[in-house]
Structure formats: C-alpha cells, structure tokens
Amino acid sequence: MPYRFSFDLSQISKAFFKELARVANEKRMHRKIGERARSLAERFRIRELTGLDVSDAIMLVEDLVDIYVRNLSQRKSFLETKKRALFLPHCARKYMDNRCQARFDPEIPSYQCAQCSPDCLVNQATALGRERGYDVYVLAGSSCIPKILKNHSYQGVVGVACSQELKVGGDYIGNNGLQGQAVPLTKNGCANTWFSIESLKRIL
Ligand code: SF4
Ligand code: SF4
C-alpha cells in the first residue's frame, strides 16, 4: 500500500542515511525513537527539502529507522542463507508505459526485464542481483510475494520498495521463517521511483 504522500529524498545529504543507521542501532538497544525521528527530520531539513508536512516527515523517518533496525537484527542470519531472491519494484522501471519492453508473466508472477535501456534502474539492479547469484523478480506489488515463495524454497530475500510496502512484505517474509534485508526507495510515487544502487550493492 503506498503512502498518501509523495517524497523525494534525493536532495537529502548522505549524512542523514548514516545518522539513520546510527539511530536504528540505538533503537535496537531499546531507546525511544519518537523524539529522535523528529530531531532527525529537523536537523536534515526533511520538510524544507521535500515539502512534506511535519507529521508525514516524522512518519517517513520513523519507518526508515524501522527498516534499518530490521536489517540490523536479521543481518547475521541473512548472511548465512544460501538460496536467495531479490524483489525489485516495477515502479523503478525507466518507463511505465509500452516503451518498457518487459513482459509480465502472471504465472511467476513477475515482469521479465528485456534490458531495453542500459540506464534503467531495474535493468541495472537485475544484472547486479544475477551476478551475485540471486533469482530476481520485478514485482507489481507485495501481493505477488506469497505465490513466489510458495513455489521456491528461498532462505533469504532482499526487497526494494517504499517503506510501506517493505513493512507488509517484511512481515510476510518474517512470518514464514525467511531472513530479509531491505532497501527503501528514496523517491516514491508509484512511477519513476528511485533507490540507491550503491545501497543495494552493500545489502546484497
Ligand atoms: S530495461 Fe527492462 S525494466 Fe527497464 S524499461 Fe527496459 S524492459 Fe523495462
Ligand atoms: S511506490 Fe512503488 S513499491 Fe511503493 S506502493 Fe507504489 S508501486 Fe509499490
């Protein structure tokens, strides 16, 4: 389910994401997050740089911290997994219309990237995932996950999506005994979205 607001974190400094990781580690040590999220949002001028209102900016930061916390807590067991899948979001394709040559196979269910554009994020992430030995899926939404997992015996899953979808997908993956890692979108909106390929490299 998408947020009811759109965000674009491309103008936010890299220090914000480092700080997120630090705060996530603190939260893991059972400290309260509400005030920290508010102060992070203010310090890194999230409202000014994204146009979000206060409560949406804080919600976004809290969700990002939660994702980082989950990543940290599952990192060790994830690294021990052998058979892994990479789930990419269809909204990060370069084109959302028929210029995208990907075919959607409902039997899998996944888009199959036809590599029409070298500068397409989904194309680049698909190649990266395959190089690292992952089965790669380009999902139309988290509702595709149960069918894929039912048909394969994966142990580990890396998901790229907006924080809202990562929460839903992460819960499903956790409830089914799999180890997950996540890369949140830095720009949402369900089309022309963006994530950091460098972050994906580090997670894979
Ligand atoms: S590279 Fe793949 S995902 Fe990207 S627009 Fe082309 S076919 Fe679609
Ligand atoms: S932003 Fe992308 S991942 Fe999030 S709900 Fe929209 S289509 Fe799905």
Side-chain angles (χ1 to χ4, degrees):
M1 179 192 296
Y3 284 113
R4 61 179 174 78
F5 55 85
S6 297
F7 63 83
D8 180 355
L9 301 177
S10 54
Q11 301 302 312
I12 311 295
S13 78
K14 284 202 174 135
F16 168 70
F17 295 96
K18 283 197 183 143
E19 194 61 12
L20 269 183
R22 201 176 66 74
V23 171
N25 206 22
E26 280 183 11
K27 189 185 175 195
R28 210 160 57 115
M29 313 300 252
H30 310 297
R31 297 199 195 166
K32 285 201 174 355
I33 189 62
E35 275 313 302
R36 298 303 309 275
R38 177 182 289 273
S39 100
L40 259 185
E42 283 170 8
R43 220 167 101 214
F44 288 92
R45 300 174 57 236
I46 304 292
R47 272 196 314 129
E48 291 84 343
L49 293 169
T50 60
L52 292 176
D53 68 27
V54 179
S55 58
D56 289 344
I58 292 171
M59 180 199 289
L60 179 60
V61 174
E62 283 184 344
D63 286 349
L64 289 170
V65 170
D66 280 341
I67 290 164
Y68 276 55
V69 168
R70 205 189 287 233
N71 279 355
L72 280 170
S73 61
Q74 294 195 6
R75 187 65 184 163
K76 192 163 170 283
S77 39
F78 171 79
L79 289 175
E80 287 164 5
T81 61
K82 300 272 183 273
K83 192 170 162 58
R84 298 180 189 168
L86 169 61
F87 294 153
L88 299 171
H90 78 113
C91 56
R93 289 175 294 155
K94 181 175 180 182
Y95 303 118
M96 295 294 285
D97 55 22
N98 58 11
R99 286 174 293 173
C100 170
Q101 304 291 309
R103 189 177 58 85
F104 184 75
D105 186 341
E107 291 305 311
I108 300 179
S110 169
Y111 285 93
Q112 311 266 295
C113 172
Q115 304 166 330
C116 72
S117 303
D119 60 345
C120 171
L121 206 46
V122 164
N123 187 3
Q124 292 170 2
T126 299
L128 185 62
R130 287 189 180 141
E131 259 170 48
R132 305 275 178 101
Y134 286 72
D135 289 347
V136 182
Y137 301 86
V138 182
L139 303 186
S142 55
S143 56
C144 299
I145 294 175
K147 186 168 182 184
I148 294 170
L149 296 185
K150 190 165 157 254
N151 292 333
H152 301 271
S153 50
Y154 294 117
Q155 300 168 316
V157 172
V158 172
V160 182
C162 63
S163 325
Q164 292 288 78
E165 281 289 87
L166 286 176
K167 278 204 258 181
V168 178
D171 286 348
Y172 186 85
I173 283 162
N175 292 339
N176 283 278
L178 281 83
Q179 306 304 317
Q181 296 284 281
V183 176
L185 292 180
T186 54
K187 177 175 182 287
N188 79 338
C190 298
N192 305 118
T193 59
W194 201 256
F195 59 91
S196 161
I197 202 93
E198 289 307 316
S199 299
L200 179 62
K201 271 184 200 164
R202 282 194 294 276
I203 286 280
L204 294 175

